[in-house]
Amino acid sequence: MKQENADSNERKFEIEDKLQKEINKLKIIKENVNRSNQITNGMVNILSSFEHRLAKLEETILPVYNETGNLQRTQQNIEKTLVSLEVVIGYYSLAEEVDSTIRAGPSPASLDEYILVMNRVRQALNYFEKNNPSSVELENVSSCFNIGVEILCREFKEILLKHSRSIPPITLLDMVATDDEVSGDDVSVSSAGGIGETASSELATICNWLLAQGNNTILDVYCRARSDAMLKSIKHLVDQARSNSGHHSPNMRPKFKHDTTGRSASKRVKAVLEKKANKMLLKASQTLENSTGLTLGGRKTAGMHLEAREDMLDEQEMDSYLMCVIAVQKLMSIERNQMANIVPAAHHNKVFQSIVQDSIDLIVHDGESIATRAKRCIGRHEFGSILVILAILKNLQALKPDFEKTVEGCDYSAGKGLEEVVESLRGDPTGSGLPKDGTVAEITSNILVLVSHLSDHKETLATVLCKPPYSGGQPGQALAIYIKKVLSQLNCTLMSKSEAYSEPGVKAIFRLNNCHHVLKALQRSSLLALVSTCEPDCHQTYLDMINQHKKAYQLR
C-alpha cells in the first residue's frame, strides 16, 4: 500500500513539473508576441511617415518636372525651326549656287553627286510651288531644274547612242550559225551590240531618276535607239545574205557596203548558205529521182520568163530567211537581258515590245513576201516553192515558243498556199501543157514532186492543216487526207485536159500514161501506204483506171 502511494506521488510530481515548464514557455511566447506587435506598430508608423513625405515630395517636384519637359520640347522645336529655316534660306540662293554645276553637266565620276544636286533643286522647287508659287525664286529654281533634266536626258541619249551600234553581219552569223567552223561562243558583249557594265550603271541611274520625276520620254529615247540598232543589224544581215544569193529581184538590190569586214562577212555568209543549200539540193534531187524518175536541171530555168525566175524560191533563200529569223531571236534575248539592267521592271513589257517591233515587222514582211511569190508560182503550176514554205515552217515551229508572233505571221500564208495548189489544179485551162504524143503531162510531174516531199513535213502539216477536213487525226493522217485531195483533183484535171485530144487513141494513152506514172511514183515514195490509211482502195482504184484506159485504147 505504501509502495502504491509512493508511485502515485512520484507521477504527480512529474506532471506538475511538466505543467510548470509549459507555463514558462507560454509566458516566453506571450512576451515575444508583445515585442513583435511593438515592432510591427513601429514599422507601420515609419512607413506611414515615409509615404506622407513622398506625397509631399511629389507635390513639390512634379511641377518642376513638367516645366522642364516643356522647356526641352520648346528647345527641340526651336532647333528644328532653325534647321528648316536654314534650309529654306538656302533655297533662295540655291539656283545661283548650283547653276554652274548643273550647266557643266555630269561626268562618269560625278554622276551621283550631280543627282544629289538635282535632288536639292527638286526639293527647293517643291517648297516654292507649295509655299510661294508667285515668287521669282520659283522661276529661277524651275529654270535650273529644267536645264538639269534636259542635260541628263541629253547625257542619257549620248551614252546610249555611243553604245548602241549595229552588229556586223559576221558577228550575227557567229551567233546563229551551227557549223563547226562558225562558232559563237567567243562573241563579246561589245561586238554583239551590248552595253558595258559601266555604261549600263550610268544609264540605269539616269533612267531611274528621270522616271521618278515623271519624265517617261526617256523610255521612248531608249526604245528608239535600241530598236534602230537592232533593225540596222538585221537589215545588214539581210542585205549581205541577198548579195551572196543567186536571187536578185529589181527591188532587192544589196545595200551593204563592202569593206574589209564586209568582205569577210560576205565569205562567211556565203560559205554557210552554200553548204546548207547544197545539202538540201542534193536531198531534193535524190528524192525526185527516186519518186518520179526525173532529174533536176537548169533547162527549164534557162528558158523561164523573167517574172517566173524572180518568183522562184530556193533552199538558199530559205536558209537566208531562217538565218535572219534566228538572228532576230538572238538579238531579242540580248535586248531583254540588257533592258533588265537599265529599265525598271514595271516598264519591261512595254519597252521590250517597242524595241523588237520594227525587226519583227521586217521578218514578217519578208515572210509574207516569200508566201506571195510562192502563191504566184503555184498559180503557174510550179509547186517547188511550197516545199520551201514547208521547210521554213518546220524550222520556225522549233522557235515558236520564243518567237510566237513570227510563226503566226507565216503559218496562215503557208496553209493558204497548200489550198491554192488544189485550186490551181481545179482552175487549170483545158488543153494547156498537153504533150502531143500523149506522154506524162508536166503538171503531173510537178504535183508528184510536191507530194513526194510532203512526207518530210508531217508534223508541220498537222499545224498548218489545222482546219476541217484535215484536223482531228494524227499528223500522218492530215497529210494523207491532203494528198488524197490533191490526187483526186489531179485526176479530174487530167481527165478534163485529155478531152482536148481529137484522136481517141491519144486520149486513152494520155490517161493511161499519167495514171500509171502516178501509181508507180506513189509506190516508190511509200506514199501509197500513207494515202491508204484514209483511202484503203487507193491502189485498186488506180489499177481499175489503168485497165479501163487500156481497154479504151484497144477499142479505139
Side-chain angles (χ1 to χ4, degrees):
M1 186 69 177
K2 290 180 179 181
Q3 184 65 33
E4 291 179 355
N5 290 331
D7 294 337
S8 176
N9 292 331
E10 185 178 355
R11 284 197 298 273
K12 181 179 179 182
F13 177 78
E14 290 177 356
I15 291 172
E16 289 177 351
D17 184 57
K18 289 182 179 180
L19 179 60
Q20 186 63 39
K21 290 180 179 179
E22 293 297 329
I23 291 172
N24 293 335
K25 288 181 179 179
L26 180 59
K27 290 180 179 180
I28 294 171
I29 290 173
K30 287 182 177 180
E31 291 175 356
N32 291 337
V33 170
N34 290 332
R35 284 196 299 270
S36 177
N37 288 335
Q38 292 175 359
I39 294 172
T40 300
N41 292 332
M43 289 298 297
V44 170
N45 293 333
I46 294 173
L47 290 174
S48 297
S49 175
F50 184 70
E51 182 178 4
H52 180 68
R53 291 179 180 180
L54 284 178
K56 287 186 176 181
L57 181 62
E58 183 178 3
E59 291 176 358
T60 304
I61 296 299
L62 186 59
V64 177
Y65 175 79
N66 292 335
E67 184 66 21
T68 302
N70 292 334
L71 291 174
Q72 288 177 342
R73 284 191 292 271
T74 302
Q75 182 182 4
Q76 291 175 355
N77 291 336
I78 292 174
E79 291 176 353
K80 291 181 179 178
T81 302
L82 290 175
V83 172
S84 299
L85 185 59
E86 184 179 355
V87 172
V88 170
I89 292 174
Y91 289 159
Y92 284 85
S93 60
L94 181 63
E96 182 179 357
E97 176 186 342
V98 301
D99 182 71
S100 59
T101 301
I102 288 180
R103 291 181 182 277
S107 64
S110 64
L111 179 59
D112 291 338
E113 296 178 1
Y114 193 87
I115 294 296
L116 291 176
V117 172
M118 289 297 298
N119 285 334
R120 290 176 59 195
V121 176
R122 172 80 264 185
Q123 293 171 358
L125 184 61
N126 292 339
Y127 171 81
F128 288 119
E129 287 178 344
K130 180 179 180 181
N131 299 284
N132 197 358
S134 60
S135 63
V136 177
E137 286 76 12
L138 175 61
E139 297 180 5
N140 295 336
V141 172
S142 179
S143 175
C144 190
F145 182 79
N146 292 334
I147 291 173
V149 169
E150 183 179 350
I151 290 176
L152 282 175
C153 289
R154 185 169 65 246
E155 182 73 11
F156 182 90
K157 186 174 182 179
E158 290 176 356
I159 297 174
L160 184 63
L161 293 178
K162 180 180 178 181
H163 295 86
S164 295
R165 301 181 300 272
S166 62
I167 303 177
I170 187 172
T171 305
L172 265 182
L173 189 62
D174 287 339
M175 295 166 61
V176 304
T178 56
D179 300 73
D180 294 337
E181 68 273 12
V182 183
S183 174
D185 295 337
D186 299 327
V187 177
S188 64
V189 173
S190 58
S191 64
I195 302 176
E197 183 177 352
T198 301
S200 293
S201 177
E202 295 174 9
L203 291 172
T205 300
I206 299 175
C207 181
N208 281 276
W209 189 86
L210 289 173
L211 288 175
Q213 312 310 313
N215 190 333
N216 292 330
T217 58
I218 199 68
L219 296 179
D220 297 333
V221 174
Y222 182 83
C223 292
R224 188 72 269 153
R226 297 307 300 174
S227 177
D228 289 347
M230 183 176 177
L231 185 61
K232 287 179 182 178
S233 300
I234 296 300
K235 284 185 175 180
H236 287 171
L237 182 64
V238 170
D239 292 341
Q240 189 66 32
R242 287 171 179 167
S243 69
N244 290 283
S245 67
H247 176 81
H248 294 288
S249 68
N251 297 323
M252 294 183 179
R253 301 195 180 279
K255 303 176 183 178
F256 192 74
K257 296 181 180 180
H258 294 275
D259 54 11
T260 305
T261 304
R263 288 192 295 271
S264 177
S266 172
K267 294 178 181 179
R268 188 72 63 86
V269 173
K270 186 175 181 180
V272 174
L273 295 182
E274 286 184 352
K275 181 177 180 180
K276 293 181 178 180
N278 290 336
K279 289 180 180 178
M280 298 188 69
L281 187 59
L282 177 61
K283 181 179 179 181
S285 301
Q286 293 173 345
T287 305
L288 179 62
E289 293 173 4
N290 293 334
S291 61
T292 66
L294 300 175
T295 58
L296 290 175
R299 292 174 297 176
K300 183 177 179 180
T301 303
M304 190 179 297
H305 191 273
L306 176 61
E307 182 181 358
R309 289 200 302 271
E310 293 295 338
D311 287 337
M312 285 186 64
L313 300 173
D314 55 27
E315 290 81 0
Q316 190 173 18
E317 187 171 1
M318 176 195 72
D319 278 337
S320 298
Y321 179 70
L322 288 175
M323 180 177 63
C324 293
V325 171
I326 297 173
V328 169
Q329 183 187 10
K330 297 290 185 182
L331 292 176
M332 287 172 63
S333 178
I334 291 175
E335 291 302 329
R336 183 174 290 278
N337 294 334
Q338 189 68 72
M339 177 184 63
N341 298 326
I342 298 175
V343 179
H347 303 278
H348 280 184
N349 291 339
K350 181 179 179 180
V351 170
F352 183 70
Q353 181 178 353
S354 298
I355 292 173
V356 304
Q357 189 64 54
D358 289 345
S359 297
I360 290 179
D361 288 345
L362 175 64
I363 296 300
V364 171
H365 178 270
D366 287 349
E368 292 175 347
S369 176
I370 291 174
T372 300
R373 290 163 52 204
K375 178 180 177 180
R376 291 198 294 264
C377 291
I378 291 170
R380 293 191 296 270
H381 299 155
E382 298 160 5
F383 303 113
S385 296
I386 198 66
L387 300 177
V388 177
I389 296 291
L390 289 174
I392 291 175
L393 280 175
K394 184 175 182 180
N395 286 275
L396 287 181
Q397 281 184 335
L399 301 173
K400 190 170 183 178
D402 298 324
F403 219 157
E404 188 77 23
K405 183 173 286 189
T406 301
V407 176
E408 291 177 352
C410 295
D411 276 350
Y412 175 76
S413 297
K416 189 175 180 180
L418 287 173
E419 285 301 317
E420 287 172 352
V421 172
V422 180
E423 293 300 323
S424 68
L425 288 173
R426 186 177 292 115
D428 186 61
T430 301
S432 64
L434 283 176
K436 295 181 180 180
D437 54 359
T439 54
V440 177
E442 180 183 359
I443 190 172
T444 302
S445 299
N446 290 342
I447 289 294
L448 290 175
V449 171
L450 171 65
V451 298
S452 66
H453 285 78
L454 293 183
S455 59
D456 296 332
H457 304 280
K458 292 180 182 179
E459 291 76 11
T460 303
L461 286 169
T463 302
V464 175
L465 301 173
C466 57
K467 298 180 180 180
Y470 311 111
S471 60
Q474 298 297 322
Q477 187 174 1
L479 175 59
I481 296 173
Y482 176 75
I483 293 177
K484 171 190 172 183
K485 184 176 180 179
V486 171
L487 293 178
S488 176
Q489 187 58 53
L490 173 63
N491 184 61
C492 293
T493 300
L494 291 174
M495 295 294 290
S496 177
K497 280 180 171 293
S498 66
E499 296 296 332
Y501 287 109
S502 59
E503 293 291 333
V506 180
K507 180 192 300 183
I509 200 65
F510 173 79
R511 293 176 176 179
L512 174 62
N513 284 336
N514 281 274
C515 284
H516 183 267
H517 185 73
V518 171
L519 179 59
K520 292 301 180 182
L522 293 176
Q523 289 174 333
R524 283 193 298 266
S525 62
S526 301
L527 287 176
L528 183 61
L530 178 62
V531 177
S532 296
T533 59
C534 65
E535 184 62 41
D537 298 331
C538 178
H539 183 253
Q540 187 60 45
T541 299
Y542 272 100
L543 291 178
D544 292 343
M545 287 191 296
I546 290 173
N547 290 330
Q548 179 184 351
H549 298 325
K550 283 182 179 180
K551 291 179 181 179
Y553 178 73
Q554 294 170 352
L555 295 175
R556 71 188 186 281

